[in-house]
């Protein structure tokens, strides 16, 4: 069973539909017992970093997320859910994130001819040793919607990169924590394969 953490952020239903499409049971929840019993957990979300952390703390989910990660079972962050795994974001100065992986979230720099937020498809360069991208061709296209991007502190945590005005760490793997800045649930067959890889870990 996959628990999808519901902290009043958007994008939850589309993740649930993708998991169900792959034949796996999915439960949207913020119940601690359900989350801790789950075989895998997903932290999705769209919106602002500070607002999301406020909600996570209001529902006492920071403690639950950290306890789940300590079990060693697979955990996946998607879009804002990736950003929340880090210590801080330029979007919400002074707000602390979950601080589960070293790195920071920065504003995509302005660049002539590029719109911010980035909305659309972009190719990714995949780390050949990545578990999340097993069986996925390097240079595959996935779907992004974001104004802020990850700069990961340790290169060995970077599972995939892309370029949009600057180098963007598009996905990370750190022990049992996985995360994508893009939306696998909106990235066609490639995205479904990524989610299938996660489910099968």
């Amino acid at each position: 069973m996959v628990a999808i953490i519901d902290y009043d952020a958007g994008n939850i239903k589309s993740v649930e539909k993708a998991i169900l499409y792959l034949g796996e049971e999915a439960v949207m929840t913020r119940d601690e017992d359900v989350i801790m019993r789950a075989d895998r957990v997903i932290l999705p979300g769209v919106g602002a970093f500070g607002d999301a952390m406020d909600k996570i703390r209001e529902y006492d989910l920071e403690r639950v997320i950290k306890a789940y990660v300590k079990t060693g079972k697979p955990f996946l962050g998607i879009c804002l859910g990736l950003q929340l795994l880090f210590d801080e974001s330029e979007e919400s100065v002074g707000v602390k994130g979950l601080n589960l992986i070293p790195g920071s979230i920065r504003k995509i720099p302005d660049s002539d001819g590029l719109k911010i937020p980035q909305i659309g498809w972009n190719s990714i360069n995949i780390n050949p040793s990545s578990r999340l991208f097993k069986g996925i061709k390097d240079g595959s296209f996935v779907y992004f919607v974001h104004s802020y991007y990850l700069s990961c502190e340790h290169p060995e945590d970077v599972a995939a990169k892309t370029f949009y005005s600057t180098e963007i760490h598009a996905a990370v793997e750190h022990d049992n924590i996985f995360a994508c800045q893009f939306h696998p649930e909106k990235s066609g067959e490639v995205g479904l394969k990524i989610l299938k890889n996660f489910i099968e870990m």
Side-chain angles (χ1 to χ4, degrees), residues 20-145:
L20 292 173
Y21 177 84
L22 291 168
E24 185 73 16
E25 182 186 358
V27 179
M28 293 190 294
T29 185
R30 62 179 72 108
D31 181 277
E32 179 176 0
D33 291 340
V34 175
I35 292 169
M36 294 304 294
R37 283 200 315 268
D39 302 305
R40 283 151 195 79
V41 166
I42 297 177
L43 179 67
V46 294
F49 186 95
D51 293 342
M53 285 308 306
D54 285 347
K55 284 292 185 183
I56 282 172
R57 290 179 173 128
E58 177 185 334
Y59 294 128
D60 194 27
L61 287 167
E62 181 172 18
R63 176 185 57 80
V64 177
I65 289 168
K66 289 180 175 179
Y68 185 88
V69 166
K70 282 183 180 176
T71 69
K73 292 187 283 187
F75 184 96
L76 175 67
I78 295 175
C79 193
L80 181 59
L82 167 142
Q83 297 181 8
L84 299 174
L85 299 175
F86 292 83
D87 182 47
E88 58 187 6
S89 171
E90 290 182 356
E91 183 178 23
S92 305
V93 176
V95 176
K96 289 298 181 185
L98 296 168
N99 198 23
L100 289 167
I101 308 174
S104 58
I105 308 301
R106 302 174 181 170
K107 182 84 165 68
I108 298 174
D110 291 328
S111 180
D112 287 345
L114 291 181
K115 292 183 177 179
I116 300 171
Q118 178 192 10
I119 302 175
W121 298 81
N122 212 346
S123 63
I124 51 173
N125 297 119
I126 296 167
N127 182 333
S129 65
S130 165
R131 292 174 284 165
L132 199 59
F133 294 94
K134 182 181 175 183
I136 294 171
K137 187 178 175 183
D138 189 43
S140 292
F141 281 78
V142 291
Y143 189 77
F144 290 85
V145 183

Side-chain angles (χ1 to χ4, degrees), residues 150-196:
L150 165 64
S151 178
C152 206
E153 189 170 312
H154 299 309
E156 61 269 25
D157 289 336
V158 179
K161 301 176 182 177
T162 193
F163 194 90
Y164 191 85
S165 177
T166 188
E167 182 178 82
I168 289 168
H169 295 155
V172 291
E173 300 184 13
H174 181 86
D175 298 330
N176 58 315
I177 304 173
F178 304 83
C180 303
Q181 177 59 65
F182 58 87
H183 290 272
E185 77 286 358
K186 296 178 181 176
S187 296
E189 291 300 318
V190 169
L192 288 172
K193 173 63 174 164
I194 292 166
L195 291 173
K196 191 168 191 290

